[in-house]
Amino acid sequence: MQPFNPVTAWANTLQIAFMAAEAQAIVSMRVLGMAGVWSVPPSEKTRMVSEKVKAMTKSNGNAVAAALRGGTPDEVFAAAIKPYRQQTRANTRRLTRHGLKRS
């Protein structure tokens, strides 16, 4: 078994922190969109559900693959959170481009 790597653990912690901050911003923008304040596409309501299923499926596959390769727990965790982090990053970029609704 490989020894504990504090750098990998710290990197995972940072990824979770970024993901949490982005998730809060995404929720805020989507709620503002539903209230008619933020400009979001009509497909946003269905997208916010379907993207979670896709990210979860990819996350599970990544974690299993990393574990089967003999990865350390930190590597398995990093593989598992990667799809969620990619999705929150993409959503933040996409939703911030729309901005406030101008009537």
Side-chain angles (χ1 to χ4, degrees):
M1 183 168 201
Q2 298 174 354
F4 174 75
N5 184 345
V7 174
T8 307
W10 179 248
N12 286 342
T13 302
L14 285 175
Q15 291 302 313
I16 290 292
F18 287 137
M19 188 173 61
E22 289 169 344
Q24 182 59 48
I26 292 163
V27 168
S28 298
M29 287 182 275
R30 284 178 170 163
V31 168
L32 289 171
M34 289 178 204
V37 178
W38 200 262
S39 180
V40 294
S43 62
E44 196 63 34
K45 292 175 186 141
T46 56
R47 183 178 190 152
M48 65 183 170
V49 174
S50 64
E51 69 188 9
K52 288 169 182 58
V53 175
K54 182 180 173 187
M56 181 185 64
T57 303
K58 187 147 179 68
S59 173
N60 290 339
N62 287 356
V64 168
L68 291 176
R69 283 192 305 268
T72 64
D74 288 336
E75 292 168 342
V76 173
F77 185 72
I81 62 174
K82 186 176 181 179
Y84 291 113
R85 174 72 171 105
Q86 289 172 334
Q87 191 64 54
T88 57
R89 185 183 313 128
N91 283 346
T92 303
R93 287 179 180 162
R94 181 176 49 79
L95 290 169
T96 54
R97 274 191 306 230
H98 293 289
L100 290 173
K101 221 177 202 179
R102 304 196 197 288
S103 299

